[in-house]
Amino acid sequence: MRFPESVDLREVGMRDGLQLEAPIATDAKLRMLDAIVATGVRRIEVTSFVSPSAVPALADADAMAAELHNWPDASFSALVANLKGAHRAVDAGLRDLEYVVSASDGHSLANARRTTDQALAAVGEIASVAHQVGGRCEVIIATAWDCPFDGRTAPSRVVDAARRAVEDGADKLCLGDTIGTVAPGRVVSLVSAVRAAVPAVDVGVHFHNTRGTGLACVLAAVDLGVTSIDASVGGVGGCPFAPGASGNIATEEVVYMLTESGVATGLDLQAVLDAAAVVEKEVGHPLASNLYRAGGPNRPRGR
Ligand code: COA
Ligand code: ZN
């Protein structure tokens, strides 16, 4: 395998992690965020500016944004699903946006009440909202491999969406395995196809561990040289508009696997486990992460 020296993880527990949970208080989220910043992670997707009736758990996006000045060294971004959300996000002081576009019409309609084509038509305006404040717009292509409504997503739909998003102003792309079905073979083929279509743009990956293949998919992507990887502390997460969706790949498991394989993440594993303990307390149920439940790496102690 040909691993890069380092990867650039993005912590998505505050957004993807919490959106499927019962709403928790802003104060509790700020305690989580403080623990997450302490892990050393450089990029944090902190919330989403979507309809509060669609995602009640993130209805406090403005209140969260107002507190971000407390962590001046972290880099925060927010997810949006329409132009209104993009305006709300920059008005709240965020500059970097993730705009989600589902590659399948079924999920796109359930998630954002518009087809893939209609969602792509908004990339230009949303990217320019970010660019006007000196920020960047990443397009997250959701259901890139499989859709809970439409079945397998044709790779050509993803490649076409990627090309169009970049033509219309996306600075970066991320391929999302929204329902946690993909295995390494299809990761390699789709990432390769998308990179060939938009060679000038960084392509990241976003996996869920629903069927136990999440870490294997990370390794396959890293072997291709992908360095932008999403994960959530404790493995919380999932899309409320994708039946059967479950947790993201756990940040601590990605950090453990990559560090032990000689790939630097910049995160402190013990600090990630400490953050997972905070997340577990605040969400109020046991976390999915195997590494967290095992109590950490349990290396032999020196005498
Ligand atoms: N922020 C806050 N409110 C918003 C909003 C936003 N970004 N976009 C729309 N709304 C409000 C509208 O003001 C309107 O409110 P009203 O009923 O009080 O007038 C209501 O939501 C419906 O607006 P409309 O434009 O008709 O949107 P919709 O009902 O077609 O819903 C979305 C479309 C995109 C707003 C909604 O489906 C959504 O927010 N989805 C989020 C999906 C998500 O976050 N998924 C998880 C991440 S993948
Ligand atoms: Zn997700």
Side-chain angles (χ1 to χ4, degrees):
M1 296 190 124
R2 304 144 297 171
F3 295 141
E5 275 178 21
S6 62
V7 294
D8 187 19
L9 297 187
R10 174 167 58 199
E11 174 57 48
V12 298
M14 300 297 303
R15 193 279 303 176
D16 207 351
L18 293 182
Q19 68 185 7
L20 197 57
E21 298 286 337
I24 64 173
T26 306
D27 277 359
K29 291 182 186 177
L30 294 171
R31 286 191 289 275
M32 278 177 54
L33 184 55
D34 196 46
I36 284 170
V37 172
T39 66
V41 69
R42 285 175 290 268
R43 297 185 297 134
I44 299 170
E45 185 182 64
V46 74
T47 187
S48 65
F49 288 84
V50 299
S51 161
S53 47
V55 183
L58 301 180
D60 62 349
D62 289 287
M64 288 296 292
E67 299 296 330
L68 300 181
H69 62 89
N70 290 307
W71 297 278
D73 296 329
S75 161
F76 297 109
S77 63
L79 180 134
V80 302
N82 60 11
L83 184 61
K84 176 169 178 162
H87 282 299
R88 281 184 58 212
V90 299
D91 289 349
L94 282 135
R95 300 192 316 164
D96 294 331
L97 306 181
E98 281 97 40
Y99 174 45
V100 61
V101 172
S102 304
S104 60
D105 284 329
H107 184 258
S108 190
L109 288 164
N111 192 52
R113 298 196 190 152
R114 56 180 86 171
T115 62
T116 302
D117 198 54
Q118 290 167 331
L120 283 168
V123 169
E125 281 181 312
I126 290 172
S128 78
V129 169
H131 295 160
Q132 275 161 23
V133 292
R136 284 157 62 84
C137 176
E138 172 174 325
V139 169
I140 297 181
I141 303 182
T143 57
W145 286 276
D146 293 297
C147 171
F149 306 104
D150 299 355
R152 291 208 167 194
T153 306
S156 61
R157 287 184 69 94
V158 182
V159 169
D160 289 349
R163 207 178 268 127
R164 191 165 155 200
V166 170
E167 274 166 18
D168 288 356
D171 302 291
K172 204 172 166 180
L173 297 175
C174 180
L175 303 179
D177 177 26
T178 308
I179 52 170
T181 51
V182 76
R186 286 202 295 153
V187 170
V188 170
S189 57
L190 190 67
V191 169
S192 304
V194 170
R195 283 169 140 192
V198 290
V201 163
D202 184 66
V203 178
V205 290
H206 176 109
F207 298 120
H208 285 257
N209 198 35
T210 317
R211 289 166 182 81
T213 54
L215 284 181
C217 290
V218 171
L219 209 60
V222 169
D223 186 45
L224 287 177
V226 170
T227 54
S228 295
I229 296 160
D230 285 357
S232 83
V233 165
V236 281
C239 175
F241 306 101
S246 76
N248 289 77
I249 53 171
T251 307
E252 58 273 27
E253 294 183 354
V254 176
V255 169
Y256 181 56
M257 177 183 74
L258 293 180
T259 309
E260 294 282 312
S261 306
V263 181
T265 65
L267 275 71
D268 179 87
L269 179 59
Q270 187 54 52
V272 183
L273 290 164
D274 293 345
V278 176
V279 171
E280 183 171 59
K281 179 165 180 282
E282 302 300 358
V283 300
H285 61 75
L287 302 177
S289 161
N290 289 308
L291 181 61
Y292 177 69
R293 286 193 283 112
N298 192 26
R299 289 201 181 85
R301 286 176 197 281
R303 290 187 194 174

